[in-house]
Amino acid sequence: MPIHHPQQRSFGNSERHGVQQAEAALVEHYPRLVRLAYLVLPPALGRHRRVLAAHAVVQRALPGVRTAPEAPAPARVPAQTRGGSQRPAPGGATSAYAWMRLRVLRTALAHERRPRWWPDRLPAPAALRPALPAVWGLRLFPRAGGAAELALDQAMSAVPGAVRAAFALRLLEELAEPEAQALLARADAEDAEGAVRAARRLAADDRAGAAALLRSGEFDPCVLQTRPSDLLRRRHRMRAVAVAAALCVVAGGVVALAEEGSAVRLPDGRAGRSGSAPALDPAALLRTAAEAWADTSRVDFTAWPARGDRTEDRELLGRALRAWERTPDGTPVSTTPGTLPVPPAQPPRLLYAGEVDGSAVVLFHDGGVRVVRYAESLSGKAAPALDFARTDDADVTTGAAVVVSRRGDRARFLLAPWIAQTTTRDLLRPNTPARALKVDADGVTAAVARPSPGAGCDSWPVMQLRSSERIVEKHAFLVTDLGDLAPVHLTFTPKPGGGAPARQPREATGGPALLSWARTACSLRALRGAGVRAVNNWDFAEQRLPEGGAPAQWVCTRADTWRGPGRVLVQFLGPDPSATAPAAVVADRRDTALCSRFGQHVLAATHWRAPSGRWYVLAAGSRAVSRIEATGAARTSSAGTTLAVPAPRTSSVRLTGRLREGGSLAAVR
């Protein structure tokens, strides 16, 4: 007699055909689905694990017929266009591609989903599930992109997976916001509506540009580069396995002797950590693997390996940690503004321990917030010194170097492991090529001249660094020493052309940028020791001067500090035969958002003497200014972004700018 199972479902040709269509969609659109999974997966996995996880997510998205009750009904699978640039229609629940995309999204989003009881220090449960493909002995990376791709990757690293998914659905899949929101809700994303709103803000500045970046090689996990894994760490692991096996044998022998009644006395282990706080124990210091920087989306001080010839010197490390905990009397201590010289709450990360210029130097990174430098004289004739600097939210440029030694008018820097080329140049000689700078095996540079702290300003040395192509292609940038542990990143924003959108800061290595900094570098003296993170020169206006029409530039020099507040110097670059003639500082504003992404409108003015000897009031505004009005000693107005009116040198003129979209703007002083 046949046995009947009412609960069992019968699978016919329709379901099998639907799964076959889904398999065809997976094969045809595999690179597109893997790219989508790669963008949604947590960047904290690192690029190697993220690549493998993206392939695993897509390959697991197609189950067998009997485990796929939601399999799509037979549907026309969107065709792939010539060249692989397929654009499958979003379709509905019956579309084979849409069904596969839903399953990929759901699985990728699960990599960030944690139960309430799950420890924060562990990856999400989905990320721990073993899956194929697997790779041993090699590290896989997508091709490195440029600075724009790196900036987008860092911006996406700072948002949840649902926002990254919405971002990819809107720009890569070209879904409308309601469609993206509905798809995220079906994929079990948290707050699908909020994720779509956040994705809209992420692409607010340049939607087309962001879409092009997402289709670049930086985010393509199917076109890969390979590197060997950390060979030294692999060797250490093999040794550790051998030692562990030997210890097991010894332990077994000890147990056997104990069972026979032999009196075996084991070592007491008094060299351990007992009696000392874990944060101040040299054995508890965090150490990053040598190649970790090339396999992480967080390219900052947490990716620096421990370097130097004294990284295993427990006595030196212990003295540095004890001095940090309880500063001895007579120890010089320097702190950048907003930095607290308090002991670490958790074990810090060791960046460097070695001998430089007659001193033993130790560098720590504390919890992503501070870099701490300890230095003691090898001769013992001087007291140790401690320096504290804020470094929160450092990146590939602001986390590229740290001062390891200062002697007189020269300094040495420890460079980030991702710096592939190091040169120096003088900002006051923009036409002189950069010169190569020697760097030792530990990443310590030869001595670099420092900008003179005195009243004179006849040179301004900077370092021009180039990032490794393993993280970003063709990316060179400038940093300069302003007296803190971390050098300052210099950038440049050109004036937009007619009808062009507002431009973003770019690296100050091109001709126009170097010419701009040649006339404004000396103004950096006002920023020494202020905890400055980066300084940007923004050419916000160009003006044709009266009595001849010679061109003049208006520059807003904005300094952003590690603690947050910014300072602005507005400078007027009048015509001058010298390319390095100092600009005139016409306004100085502290604790302001002016000339930043949150303060994009600026109006400034100055008195100027023409070659004829006649004095004028000049004014200029940024691109959104449509009219400038003058009242007081001179009453006039001018359409556009500039104004020039005759007025005595001592006259008081009040200037107001009218904005195209409404509102007014007073001149900055």
Side-chain angles (χ1 to χ4, degrees):
M1 178 181 293
I3 300 175
H4 298 281
H5 298 278
Q7 74 277 14
Q8 202 170 27
R9 180 182 170 187
S10 175
F11 293 87
N13 292 333
S14 177
E15 287 83 354
R16 289 190 177 90
H17 187 53
V19 173
Q20 289 172 359
Q21 285 233 345
E23 182 180 7
L26 183 149
V27 172
E28 184 174 359
H29 304 290
Y30 185 81
R32 189 181 186 87
L33 290 169
V34 175
R35 187 189 293 260
L36 177 64
Y38 183 80
L39 292 171
V40 177
L41 286 167
L45 291 173
R47 291 194 290 172
H48 172 78
R49 290 178 58 199
R50 197 172 163 200
V51 164
L52 295 179
H55 286 272
V57 163
V58 175
Q59 292 176 18
R60 288 205 311 264
L62 184 70
V65 174
R66 295 184 177 275
T67 58
E70 57 173 328
R76 183 181 64 84
V77 179
Q80 182 174 0
T81 62
R82 185 177 181 182
S85 58
Q86 66 272 22
R87 292 289 184 272
T94 59
S95 164
Y97 176 81
W99 181 70
M100 292 300 302
R101 181 176 58 195
L102 171 64
R103 292 183 62 87
V104 166
L105 276 177
R106 186 177 292 156
T107 307
L109 287 170
H111 278 67
E112 273 190 350
R113 199 170 296 126
R114 302 166 180 266
R116 292 182 179 179
W117 50 268
W118 193 260
D120 290 339
R121 66 180 182 274
L122 294 179
L128 298 176
R129 184 186 307 162
L132 295 176
V135 176
W136 287 272
L138 286 176
R139 310 294 289 176
L140 305 179
F141 311 94
R143 286 186 54 196
E149 287 88 343
L150 181 63
L152 178 60
D153 190 36
Q154 291 175 337
M156 294 178 66
S157 301
V159 298
V163 178
R164 294 192 299 272
F167 192 63
L169 291 175
R170 294 281 289 121
L171 298 185
L172 278 184
E173 298 295 304
E174 300 179 359
L175 298 186
E177 287 192 356
E179 294 174 316
Q181 181 177 329
L183 183 55
L184 287 173
R186 292 186 62 206
D188 304 326
E190 296 182 2
D191 189 13
E193 182 180 359
V196 171
R197 285 198 304 269
R200 185 194 312 148
R201 292 192 296 270
L202 199 60
D205 293 337
D206 185 4
R207 177 183 170 87
L213 293 177
L214 289 184
R215 295 189 179 99
S216 68
E218 173 85 7
F219 303 104
D220 187 354
C222 292
V223 180
L224 301 170
Q225 296 177 323
T226 62
R227 293 288 188 279
S229 59
D230 193 332
L231 302 177
L232 185 59
R233 181 195 284 184
R234 193 193 309 174
R235 190 178 306 163
H236 288 169
R237 285 175 178 169
M238 295 300 294
R239 291 176 181 171
V241 170
V243 170
L247 289 175
C248 289
V249 173
V250 172
V254 171
V255 170
L257 290 174
E259 289 178 348
E260 293 175 5
S262 302
V264 178
R265 188 180 300 272
L266 296 176
D268 59 7
R270 56 193 174 91
R273 295 194 212 171
S274 59
S276 62
L280 302 173
D281 183 358
L285 289 172
L286 303 179
R287 299 172 186 247
T288 302
E291 293 293 316
W293 62 269
D295 188 23
T296 178
S297 61
R298 186 175 176 180
V299 187
D300 58 13
F301 289 107
T302 61
W304 282 40
R307 290 171 288 176
D309 55 5
R310 298 186 68 174
T311 55
E312 303 301 329
D313 188 337
R314 295 288 185 90
E315 293 185 1
L316 172 62
L317 300 178
R319 289 195 299 273
L321 291 169
R322 288 191 296 272
W324 186 356
E325 177 197 24
R326 192 171 300 173
T327 306
D329 293 338
T331 299
V333 177
S334 72
T335 61
T336 57
T339 310
L340 297 176
V342 297
Q346 297 177 344
R349 188 178 309 277
L350 180 63
L351 303 183
Y352 180 82
E355 298 179 3
V356 184
D357 293 337
S359 296
V361 178
V362 182
L363 289 172
F364 299 111
H365 181 238
D366 178 29
V369 177
R370 298 178 295 177
V371 165
V372 180
R373 176 181 176 270
Y374 169 84
E376 62 180 30
S377 172
L378 294 177
S379 65
K381 295 180 180 179
L386 277 171
D387 301 293
F388 296 83
R390 283 188 65 164
T391 57
D392 37 331
D393 296 325
D395 56 23
V396 67
T397 55
T398 54
V402 171
V403 172
V404 71
S405 172
R406 277 199 181 99
R407 286 290 183 90
D409 62 349
R410 294 187 172 270
R412 296 180 189 269
F413 296 85
L414 178 67
L415 300 180
W418 57 82
I419 298 302
Q421 184 180 25
T422 309
T423 57
T424 61
R425 68 182 316 141
D426 186 350
L427 286 184
L428 299 189
R429 291 163 179 79
N431 296 321
T432 301
R435 301 183 305 276
L437 179 65
K438 291 184 179 180
V439 181
D440 69 15
D442 288 324
V444 177
T445 69
V448 181
R450 300 172 57 199
S452 173
C457 185
D458 55 2
S459 70
W460 197 277
V462 296
M463 286 195 299
Q464 182 167 314
L465 309 177
R466 182 176 293 277
S467 303
S468 168
E469 293 190 355
R470 294 174 66 180
I471 60 170
V472 58
E473 287 185 340
K474 300 178 182 178
H475 179 230
F477 55 96
L478 300 183
V479 294
T480 189
D481 184 2
L482 290 185
D484 297 320
L485 277 183
V488 176
H489 179 209
L490 302 181
T491 57
F492 171 70
T493 305
K495 180 179 178 293
R503 297 183 178 178
Q504 300 300 314
R506 57 190 64 183
E507 301 305 345
T509 53
L514 293 174
L515 290 174
S516 176
W517 274 111
R519 298 197 60 182
T520 57
C522 292
S523 66
L524 293 172
R525 291 177 297 179
L527 306 174
R528 289 184 186 275
V532 175
R533 169 194 178 106
V535 184
N536 179 57
N537 257 8
W538 173 29
D539 283 359
F540 68 89
E542 182 177 350
Q543 183 173 18
R544 291 289 174 177
L545 300 177
E547 301 186 19
Q553 300 290 331
W554 293 80
V555 176
C556 186
T557 302
R558 177 178 176 83
D560 288 309
T561 62
W562 289 101
R563 65 188 187 279
R567 181 177 177 182
V568 160
L569 301 174
V570 179
Q571 307 190 63
F572 175 72
L573 282 63
D576 196 286
S578 172
T580 60
V585 177
V586 301
D588 186 349
R589 178 78 65 85
R590 298 172 185 264
D591 299 336
T592 179
L594 276 175
C595 305
S596 73
R597 59 180 299 189
F598 304 109
Q600 300 182 13
H601 309 316
V602 62
L603 175 68
T606 187
H607 286 83
W608 175 76
R609 185 179 184 183
S612 66
R614 191 178 189 185
W615 284 92
Y616 289 82
V617 168
L618 305 179
S622 51
R623 62 194 302 269
V625 174
S626 61
R627 174 172 291 275
I628 301 176
E629 300 171 353
T631 57
R635 301 183 65 86
T636 187
S637 66
S638 174
T641 59
T642 62
L643 175 144
V645 57
R649 181 181 184 183
T650 57
S651 61
S652 176
V653 179
R654 182 180 299 108
L655 294 156
T656 303
R658 303 297 176 184
L659 303 178
R660 289 193 181 94
E661 298 181 357
S664 61
L665 188 67
V668 61
R669 296 180 181 274

